[in-house]
Coordinates of all heavy atoms in Angstrom, one line a residue:
D30 N 187.1 49.4 76.9 CA 187.8 48.6 78.0 C 188.3 47.3 77.4 O 187.6 46.7 76.5 CB 186.9 48.4 79.2 CG 186.6 49.6 80.0 OD1 187.5 50.5 79.9 OD2 185.6 49.7 80.6
N31 N 189.4 46.8 77.9 CA 189.9 45.5 77.5 C 189.1 44.4 78.2 O 189.0 44.4 79.4 CB 191.4 45.4 78.0 CG 192.0 44.1 77.6 OD1 191.5 43.1 78.0 ND2 193.1 44.2 76.9
P32 N 188.4 43.6 77.4 CA 187.5 42.6 78.0 C 188.2 41.6 79.0 O 187.6 41.3 80.0 CB 187.0 41.8 76.8 CG 187.1 42.7 75.6 CD 188.3 43.6 76.0
K33 N 189.4 41.2 78.7 CA 190.1 40.3 79.6 C 190.4 41.0 81.0 O 190.3 40.5 82.0 CB 191.4 39.8 79.0 CG 191.2 38.8 77.9 CD 192.5 38.3 77.3 CE 192.2 37.3 76.2 NZ 193.4 36.8 75.6
K34 N 190.9 42.3 80.9 CA 191.1 43.1 82.1 C 189.8 43.3 82.9 O 189.8 43.3 84.1 CB 191.8 44.4 81.8 CG 193.3 44.2 81.3 CD 193.9 45.6 81.1 CE 195.3 45.4 80.7 NZ 196.0 46.8 80.4
T35 N 188.8 43.6 82.1 CA 187.5 43.8 82.8 C 187.0 42.6 83.6 O 186.6 42.7 84.7 CB 186.4 44.1 81.7 OG1 186.8 45.3 81.0 CG2 185.0 44.4 82.4
I36 N 187.1 41.4 83.0 CA 186.7 40.1 83.7 C 187.6 39.9 84.9 O 187.1 39.6 85.9 CB 186.8 38.9 82.7 CG1 185.8 39.1 81.5 CG2 186.6 37.6 83.4 CD1 184.4 39.1 81.9
K37 N 188.9 40.2 84.7 CA 189.9 40.0 85.8 C 189.5 41.0 87.0 O 189.5 40.6 88.2 CB 191.3 40.3 85.4 CG 192.3 40.0 86.4 CD 193.7 40.3 85.8 CE 194.8 40.0 86.9 NZ 196.1 40.3 86.4
W38 N 189.2 42.2 86.7 CA 188.8 43.2 87.7 C 187.5 42.8 88.4 O 187.4 42.8 89.6 CB 188.6 44.5 87.0 CG 188.3 45.7 87.9 CD1 189.3 46.5 88.6 CD2 187.1 46.2 88.4 NE1 188.7 47.4 89.4 CE2 187.3 47.2 89.3 CE3 185.8 45.8 88.1 CZ2 186.3 48.0 89.9 CZ3 184.7 46.5 88.7 CH2 185.0 47.6 89.6
L39 N 186.5 42.3 87.6 CA 185.2 41.9 88.2 C 185.4 40.7 89.1 O 184.8 40.6 90.2 CB 184.2 41.6 87.1 CG 183.6 42.8 86.4 CD1 182.8 42.3 85.2 CD2 182.8 43.6 87.3
N40 N 186.3 39.7 88.7 CA 186.5 38.5 89.5 C 187.2 38.9 90.8 O 187.0 38.3 91.8 CB 187.3 37.5 88.7 CG 186.5 36.8 87.6 OD1 185.3 36.8 87.7 ND2 187.2 36.4 86.6
K41 N 188.1 39.9 90.7 CA 188.9 40.3 91.9 C 188.1 41.1 92.9 O 188.1 40.9 94.1 CB 190.1 41.1 91.5 CG 191.0 41.5 92.6 CD 192.2 42.3 92.2 CE 193.0 42.7 93.3 NZ 194.2 43.5 92.9
L42 N 187.3 42.1 92.4 CA 186.7 43.1 93.2 C 185.1 42.9 93.3 O 184.5 43.5 94.1 CB 187.0 44.5 92.8 CG 188.5 44.9 92.8 CD1 188.7 46.2 92.2 CD2 189.0 44.8 94.2
G43 N 184.6 42.1 92.4 CA 183.1 41.9 92.4 C 182.5 42.9 91.5 O 183.0 43.9 91.1
N44 N 181.2 42.6 91.2 CA 180.4 43.4 90.3 C 179.7 44.4 91.1 O 178.7 44.1 91.8 CB 179.5 42.5 89.5 CG 178.7 43.3 88.5 OD1 178.7 44.6 88.5 ND2 178.1 42.6 87.5
P45 N 180.0 45.7 91.0 CA 179.3 46.7 91.8 C 177.9 46.9 91.4 O 177.1 47.6 92.1 CB 180.2 48.0 91.6 CG 180.8 47.8 90.3 CD 181.0 46.3 90.2
Y46 N 177.5 46.4 90.3 CA 176.1 46.6 89.8 C 175.2 45.4 90.1 O 174.1 45.4 89.6 CB 176.1 46.9 88.3 CG 177.0 48.1 88.1 CD1 178.3 47.9 87.5 CD2 176.6 49.4 88.4 CE1 179.1 49.0 87.2 CE2 177.5 50.5 88.2 CZ 178.7 50.3 87.6 OH 179.5 51.4 87.4
S47 N 175.7 44.4 90.8 CA 174.9 43.1 90.9 C 173.8 43.3 91.9 O 172.9 42.5 91.9 CB 175.8 42.0 91.4 OG 176.4 42.3 92.6
N48 N 173.9 44.3 92.8 CA 172.8 44.5 93.8 C 172.1 45.8 93.7 O 171.8 46.5 94.7 CB 173.4 44.4 95.2 CG 173.9 43.0 95.5 OD1 173.3 42.0 95.1 ND2 175.1 42.9 96.1
I49 N 171.8 46.2 92.5 CA 171.0 47.4 92.2 C 169.6 47.1 92.1 O 169.1 46.2 91.4 CB 171.5 48.1 90.9 CG1 173.0 48.6 91.1 CG2 170.6 49.3 90.6 CD1 173.6 49.2 89.9
A50 N 168.8 47.8 92.9 CA 167.3 47.5 92.9 C 166.7 48.1 91.7 O 167.0 49.2 91.2 CB 166.7 48.2 94.2
L51 N 165.7 47.4 91.2 CA 164.8 47.9 90.1 C 163.5 48.4 90.8 O 163.0 47.8 91.7 CB 164.5 46.8 89.1 CG 165.7 46.2 88.4 CD1 165.3 45.1 87.4 CD2 166.4 47.3 87.6
D52 N 163.1 49.5 90.3 CA 161.8 50.1 90.8 C 160.9 50.5 89.6 O 160.7 51.7 89.3 CB 162.2 51.4 91.6 CG 161.1 52.0 92.3 OD1 160.0 51.3 92.5 OD2 161.2 53.2 92.7
N53 N 160.3 49.5 89.0 CA 159.5 49.7 87.9 C 158.3 50.5 88.1 O 157.8 51.2 87.2 CB 159.1 48.3 87.3 CG 160.3 47.6 86.7 OD1 161.3 48.2 86.3 ND2 160.3 46.3 86.8
T54 N 157.7 50.5 89.3 CA 156.5 51.2 89.7 C 156.7 52.5 90.3 O 155.8 53.3 90.5 CB 155.6 50.3 90.6 OG1 156.3 50.2 91.8 CG2 155.3 49.0 90.0
G55 N 157.9 52.8 90.8 CA 158.3 54.0 91.5 C 157.9 54.0 93.0 O 158.1 55.0 93.7
K56 N 157.4 52.9 93.5 CA 157.0 52.8 94.9 C 158.2 52.8 95.8 O 158.1 53.4 96.9 CB 156.2 51.5 95.2 CG 154.8 51.6 94.6 CD 154.1 50.3 94.9 CE 152.7 50.3 94.2 NZ 151.9 49.1 94.5
I57 N 159.3 52.2 95.4 CA 160.5 52.2 96.3 C 161.0 53.7 96.4 O 161.4 54.1 97.5 CB 161.6 51.3 95.8 CG1 161.2 49.8 95.8 CG2 162.9 51.5 96.5 CD1 162.1 48.9 95.1
A58 N 161.1 54.4 95.3 CA 161.5 55.8 95.3 C 160.7 56.6 96.3 O 161.2 57.4 97.1 CB 161.5 56.3 93.9
I59 N 159.4 56.4 96.2 CA 158.5 57.2 97.1 C 158.7 56.8 98.6 O 158.9 57.7 99.4 CB 157.0 56.9 96.7 CG1 156.7 57.6 95.3 CG2 156.1 57.5 97.8 CD1 155.4 57.2 94.7
N60 N 158.8 55.5 98.8 CA 159.0 55.1 100.2 C 160.3 55.5 100.8 O 160.5 55.8 102.0 CB 158.9 53.5 100.3 CG 157.5 53.1 100.1 OD1 156.5 53.8 100.3 ND2 157.3 51.8 99.7
W61 N 161.4 55.6 100.0 CA 162.7 56.0 100.4 C 162.9 57.5 100.4 O 163.9 58.0 100.9 CB 163.8 55.3 99.6 CG 163.9 53.8 99.8 CD1 163.1 53.0 100.5 CD2 165.0 53.0 99.5 NE1 163.6 51.7 100.5 CE2 164.8 51.7 99.9 CE3 166.2 53.3 98.8 CZ2 165.7 50.6 99.7 CZ3 167.1 52.2 98.6 CH2 166.8 50.9 99.0
G62 N 162.0 58.2 99.8 CA 162.1 59.7 99.8 C 163.1 60.2 98.7 O 163.7 61.2 98.9
V63 N 163.2 59.4 97.6 CA 164.2 59.8 96.6 C 163.6 61.0 95.9 O 162.4 61.1 95.5 CB 164.3 58.7 95.5 CG1 165.1 59.1 94.3 CG2 165.0 57.5 96.2
Y64 N 164.4 62.0 95.7 CA 164.0 63.2 95.1 C 165.0 63.8 94.0 O 164.8 64.7 93.4 CB 163.7 64.3 96.1 CG 164.8 64.8 96.9 CD1 165.7 65.8 96.5 CD2 165.1 64.2 98.2 CE1 166.8 66.2 97.3 CE2 166.1 64.6 99.0 CZ 167.0 65.6 98.5 OH 168.0 66.0 99.3
G65 N 166.1 63.1 93.9 CA 167.1 63.5 92.9 C 167.9 62.4 92.4 O 168.0 61.3 93.1
I66 N 168.5 62.5 91.3 CA 169.3 61.4 90.7 C 170.7 62.0 90.5 O 170.8 63.1 90.0 CB 168.7 61.0 89.4 CG1 167.3 60.4 89.6 CG2 169.6 60.0 88.7 CD1 166.6 59.9 88.3
P67 N 171.7 61.3 90.8 CA 171.7 60.0 91.5 C 171.6 60.1 93.0 O 171.9 61.2 93.6 CB 173.1 59.5 91.1 CG 174.0 60.7 91.0 CD 173.1 61.8 90.5
E68 N 171.2 59.1 93.6 CA 171.1 58.9 95.0 C 171.7 57.6 95.4 O 171.4 56.6 94.7 CB 169.7 59.1 95.6 CG 169.2 60.5 95.5 CD 168.0 60.7 96.4 OE1 168.0 60.3 97.5 OE2 167.0 61.3 95.8
T69 N 172.5 57.5 96.4 CA 173.1 56.3 96.9 C 172.6 56.0 98.3 O 172.6 56.9 99.1 CB 174.6 56.4 96.8 OG1 175.0 56.7 95.5 CG2 175.3 55.2 97.3
F70 N 172.3 54.7 98.5 CA 171.8 54.3 99.8 C 172.7 53.2 100.3 O 173.0 52.3 99.5 CB 170.3 53.9 99.8 CG 169.4 54.9 99.4 CD1 169.1 55.2 98.1 CD2 168.7 55.7 100.4 CE1 168.2 56.2 97.8 CE2 167.8 56.7 100.1 CZ 167.6 56.9 98.8
V71 N 173.0 53.1 101.6 CA 173.6 52.0 102.2 C 172.4 51.4 103.1 O 171.9 52.1 104.0 CB 174.8 52.3 103.1 CG1 175.3 51.1 103.9 CG2 175.9 53.0 102.3
V72 N 172.1 50.1 102.8 CA 171.0 49.5 103.4 C 171.5 48.3 104.2 O 172.3 47.5 103.7 CB 169.9 49.0 102.4 CG1 168.8 48.3 103.1 CG2 169.5 50.2 101.5
N73 N 171.1 48.1 105.5 CA 171.6 47.0 106.3 C 170.8 45.7 105.9 O 169.9 45.7 105.1 CB 171.6 47.3 107.8 CG 170.2 47.3 108.4 OD1 169.2 47.0 107.7 ND2 170.1 47.8 109.6
S74 N 171.2 44.6 106.5 CA 170.6 43.3 106.2 C 169.2 43.2 106.6 O 168.5 42.3 106.2 CB 171.4 42.2 106.9 OG 171.4 42.4 108.3
E75 N 168.7 44.1 107.4 CA 167.3 44.2 107.8 C 166.4 45.1 106.9 O 165.3 45.3 107.1 CB 167.1 44.6 109.3 CG 167.5 43.5 110.3 CD 168.7 43.9 111.0 OE1 168.9 45.1 111.3 OE2 169.5 43.0 111.4
G76 N 167.1 45.6 105.9 CA 166.4 46.5 104.9 C 166.3 48.0 105.4 O 165.5 48.7 104.8
I77 N 167.0 48.3 106.4 CA 166.9 49.7 107.0 C 168.0 50.6 106.3 O 169.2 50.2 106.3 CB 167.1 49.7 108.5 CG1 165.9 48.9 109.1 CG2 167.1 51.1 109.1 CD1 166.1 48.6 110.6
I78 N 167.6 51.7 105.9 CA 168.5 52.7 105.3 C 169.4 53.2 106.4 O 168.9 53.8 107.3 CB 167.8 53.8 104.5 CG1 167.0 53.2 103.4 CG2 168.8 54.9 104.0 CD1 166.1 54.2 102.7
K79 N 170.7 53.0 106.3 CA 171.6 53.5 107.3 C 172.4 54.8 106.8 O 172.9 55.5 107.7 CB 172.6 52.4 107.7 CG 172.0 51.1 108.2 CD 171.1 51.4 109.4 CE 171.9 51.6 110.6 NZ 171.1 51.7 111.8
Y80 N 172.5 55.0 105.5 CA 173.2 56.1 105.0 C 172.6 56.5 103.7 O 172.2 55.6 102.9 CB 174.7 55.8 104.8 CG 175.5 56.9 104.4 CD1 176.1 57.7 105.3 CD2 175.8 57.1 103.0 CE1 176.9 58.8 104.9 CE2 176.6 58.2 102.6 CZ 177.1 59.0 103.5 OH 177.9 60.0 103.1
R81 N 172.5 57.8 103.4 CA 172.0 58.3 102.2 C 172.9 59.4 101.6 O 173.3 60.3 102.4 CB 170.6 58.8 102.4 CG 169.9 59.5 101.2 CD 168.6 60.0 101.6 NE 167.9 60.5 100.4 CZ 166.8 61.2 100.5 NH1 166.3 61.5 101.7 NH2 166.2 61.7 99.5
H82 N 173.2 59.3 100.3 CA 174.0 60.4 99.7 C 173.3 60.8 98.4 O 172.9 60.0 97.6 CB 175.4 59.8 99.3 CG 176.2 60.8 98.6 ND1 177.0 61.8 99.3 CD2 176.4 61.0 97.3 CE1 177.6 62.5 98.4 NE2 177.3 62.1 97.2
V83 N 173.0 62.1 98.3 CA 172.4 62.7 97.2 C 173.4 63.4 96.3 O 174.2 64.1 96.8 CB 171.3 63.8 97.6 CG1 170.7 64.4 96.4 CG2 170.3 63.1 98.5
G84 N 173.4 63.0 95.0 CA 174.3 63.6 94.0 C 175.4 62.6 93.7 O 175.5 61.5 94.2
P85 N 176.3 63.1 92.7 CA 177.3 62.2 92.3 C 178.3 62.0 93.4 O 178.4 62.8 94.4 CB 178.0 63.0 91.1 CG 177.5 64.4 91.2 CD 176.2 64.3 92.1
I86 N 179.0 60.9 93.3 CA 180.0 60.5 94.4 C 181.4 60.9 93.9 O 181.9 60.4 92.9 CB 179.9 59.0 94.7 CG1 178.5 58.7 95.2 CG2 181.0 58.6 95.7 CD1 178.3 57.2 95.5
T87 N 182.0 61.8 94.7 CA 183.4 62.2 94.5 C 184.3 61.2 95.2 O 183.8 60.3 95.9 CB 183.6 63.6 95.0 OG1 183.5 63.5 96.5 CG2 182.7 64.6 94.5
K88 N 185.6 61.3 95.0 CA 186.6 60.5 95.7 C 186.4 60.6 97.2 O 186.5 59.7 97.9 CB 188.0 60.8 95.3 CG 188.3 60.3 93.9 CD 189.8 60.6 93.5 CE 190.1 60.2 92.1 NZ 191.5 60.4 91.8
L89 N 186.2 61.9 97.7 CA 186.0 62.1 99.1 C 184.8 61.4 99.6 O 184.8 60.8 100.7 CB 186.0 63.6 99.4 CG 185.8 64.0 100.9 CD1 187.0 63.4 101.7 CD2 185.8 65.5 101.0
D90 N 183.7 61.6 98.9 CA 182.4 60.9 99.2 C 182.6 59.4 99.3 O 182.1 58.8 100.2 CB 181.3 61.2 98.2 CG 180.9 62.7 98.2 OD1 181.0 63.4 99.2 OD2 180.6 63.2 97.1
Y91 N 183.3 58.9 98.3 CA 183.5 57.4 98.3 C 184.3 57.0 99.6 O 183.9 56.0 100.2 CB 184.3 57.1 97.1 CG 184.6 55.6 96.9 CD1 183.7 54.7 96.4 CD2 185.9 55.1 97.3 CE1 184.0 53.4 96.2 CE2 186.2 53.7 97.1 CZ 185.2 52.9 96.6 OH 185.5 51.6 96.5
K92 N 185.3 57.7 100.0 CA 186.0 57.4 101.2 C 185.1 57.5 102.4 O 185.2 56.6 103.3 CB 187.2 58.3 101.3 CG 188.3 58.1 100.3 CD 189.5 59.0 100.5 CE 190.5 58.8 99.5 NZ 191.6 59.8 99.6
K93 N 184.3 58.5 102.5 CA 183.4 58.7 103.6 C 182.4 57.5 103.7 O 182.1 57.0 104.8 CB 182.6 60.0 103.5 CG 183.4 61.2 103.8 CD 182.6 62.4 103.7 CE 183.3 63.7 103.9 NZ 182.5 64.9 103.7
I94 N 181.8 57.1 102.5 CA 180.8 56.0 102.5 C 181.5 54.7 102.9 O 180.9 54.0 103.7 CB 180.2 55.9 101.1 CG1 179.3 57.2 100.9 CG2 179.3 54.6 101.0 CD1 178.8 57.3 99.4
N95 N 182.7 54.4 102.4 CA 183.4 53.2 102.8 C 183.7 53.2 104.2 O 183.6 52.2 104.9 CB 184.6 53.0 101.9 CG 184.3 52.4 100.6 OD1 183.4 51.6 100.5 ND2 185.0 52.7 99.6
L96 N 184.1 54.3 104.8 CA 184.5 54.4 106.2 C 183.2 54.2 107.0 O 183.3 53.4 108.0 CB 185.0 55.8 106.5 CG 185.5 56.0 108.0 CD1 186.6 55.0 108.4 CD2 186.0 57.4 108.1
F97 N 182.1 54.7 106.6 CA 180.8 54.5 107.3 C 180.5 53.0 107.3 O 180.1 52.5 108.3 CB 179.7 55.3 106.6 CG 178.3 55.0 107.2 CD1 178.0 55.7 108.4 CD2 177.5 54.0 106.7 CE1 176.7 55.4 109.0 CE2 176.3 53.7 107.3 CZ 175.9 54.4 108.4
I98 N 180.6 52.4 106.2 CA 180.3 50.9 106.1 C 181.3 50.1 107.0 O 180.8 49.2 107.7 CB 180.4 50.4 104.6 CG1 179.3 51.1 103.8 CG2 180.4 48.9 104.5 CD1 179.4 50.9 102.3
E99 N 182.5 50.4 106.9 CA 183.5 49.7 107.8 C 183.2 49.9 109.3 O 183.3 48.9 110.1 CB 184.9 50.2 107.5 CG 185.5 49.7 106.2 CD 185.6 48.2 106.1 OE1 186.0 47.5 107.1 OE2 185.2 47.6 105.1
N100 N 182.8 51.1 109.7 CA 182.5 51.3 111.1 C 181.1 50.8 111.5 O 180.8 50.9 112.7 CB 182.6 52.8 111.3 CG 184.0 53.4 111.3 OD1 185.0 52.6 111.5 ND2 184.2 54.6 110.9
N101 N 180.3 50.4 110.6 CA 179.0 49.9 111.0 C 178.7 48.5 110.6 O 177.5 48.1 110.3 CB 177.9 50.9 110.3 CG 178.0 52.2 111.0 OD1 177.4 52.4 112.0 ND2 178.6 53.2 110.4
K102 N 179.7 47.7 110.5 CA 179.5 46.2 110.2 C 179.0 45.5 111.4 O 179.3 45.8 112.5 CB 180.8 45.6 109.7 CG 181.2 46.0 108.3 CD 182.4 45.3 107.9 CE 182.7 45.6 106.4 NZ 183.8 44.9 105.9

């Protein structure tokens, strides 16, 4: 990737990896019921899981997740 374009993209759209949880002990995975990788969770401001997706995210999945987020603000 072109570093200048990368920085411009991150500045415009934000860093999608800035809010990824670390689970060094595995306790979060157990509490959330994670059983496969990858898994994507949408968590509200109170820490409640509102949406869960198991498996890779396709373009259609991405649209569904974004629509869910937009409708649940």
Side-chain angles (χ1 to χ4, degrees):
D30 290 333
N31 179 307
K33 288 183 182 178
K34 288 183 180 179
T35 302
I36 297 294
K37 185 177 178 180
W38 186 88
L39 288 170
N40 287 335
K41 180 179 179 183
L42 299 174
N44 184 347
Y46 305 105
S47 64
N48 293 321
I49 294 178
L51 295 178
D52 186 17
N53 295 327
T54 64
K56 289 181 182 179
I57 296 172
I59 292 169
N60 290 338
W61 287 17
V63 173
Y64 62 87
I66 297 176
E68 288 193 47
T69 301
F70 295 88
V71 176
V72 182
N73 71 10
S74 60
E75 286 112 33
I77 298 170
I78 298 169
K79 301 303 284 184
Y80 184 88
R81 177 181 182 192
H82 177 84
V83 178
I86 297 176
T87 65
K88 287 182 182 182
L89 179 59
D90 296 325
Y91 181 80
K92 288 179 183 178
K93 287 180 183 177
I94 293 168
N95 278 327
L96 182 61
F97 176 83
I98 292 169
E99 286 299 317
N100 289 333
N101 289 281
K102 285 186 176 181

